Amino acid sequence: MTIGHGHSQGHGHGHGHSHGHGHGQGHSPGHSGPDYVVDVDEHSFREVVVDGSQRRLVLVDFWAEWCPPCRALTPTLERLAAEYAGRFLLAKVEVDDNMRLAGHYKLRGFPTVMLFRRGEVVAHFAGNRPLHVVRELLEQHIGESPS
């Protein structure tokens, strides 16, 4: 056994709570998605979104299964996340399971998308939007963030 080879493994293991983080259990590994799209709940929201936005923009997608505009918007957001390849993080919040978060941000309709930077909401919109509109919104803020 060689020691010192484990640098790429070992995160997400041994914490006892790595379920729900999309590390590919129960489905093919390629499906768990890249590291710029994550599912967030009210337990991980502060760490992933509020604290995470200190380092890079975090775009939060509040969505619901029963909401057709949500299902229409999500692929748009995922496509932009892939296009920007990690310059922002897409955090998806399923509102039925996280009503307290929806209540905290006083969300009235879905989908609602919020852009966080340094722990603050710097932009938001509700409803489905075409790709170029969302991209313009991101550009306004990505351009300013010192990388």
Side-chain angles (χ1 to χ4, degrees):
M1 18 190 288
T2 54
I3 314 290
H5 256 28
H7 56 270
S8 64
Q9 278 90 14
H11 75 249
H13 302 293
H15 290 315
H17 61 251
S18 64
H19 66 277
H21 279 299
H23 279 308
Q25 295 97 323
H27 49 234
S28 63
H31 193 72
S32 63
D35 68 350
Y36 40 76
V37 180
V38 292
D39 288 295
V40 180
D41 60 21
E42 51 194 48
H43 304 294
S44 57
F45 189 87
R46 170 161 282 283
E47 180 191 344
V48 174
V49 175
V50 181
D51 298 345
S53 67
Q54 302 293 343
R55 294 184 295 280
R56 62 174 165 176
L57 288 173
V58 180
L59 191 71
V60 184
D61 175 22
F62 290 95
W63 67 281
E65 276 293 341
W66 42 263
C67 150
C70 299
R71 295 205 301 269
L73 179 65
T74 299
T76 298
L77 301 179
E78 289 178 340
R79 190 173 144 194
L80 283 165
E83 190 179 301
Y84 282 89
R87 289 168 67 201
F88 74 90
L89 177 69
L90 174 59
K92 297 190 290 189
V93 178
E94 210 286 313
V95 288
D96 285 341
D97 296 338
N98 298 285
M99 273 307 186
R100 255 183 302 189
L101 277 176
H104 176 74
Y105 287 105
K106 300 181 175 56
L107 305 182
R108 294 197 171 72
F110 303 107
T112 293
V113 173
M114 292 183 160
L115 190 62
F116 281 77
R117 178 147 154 238
R118 295 189 178 70
E120 303 287 321
V121 178
V122 293
H124 64 91
F125 64 84
N128 191 5
R129 292 284 190 279
L131 188 91
H132 69 272
V133 172
V134 185
R135 184 189 282 124
E136 276 168 29
L137 178 92
L138 284 164
E139 282 296 327
Q140 284 168 12
H141 294 280
I142 282 181
E144 300 167 27
S145 59
S147 47

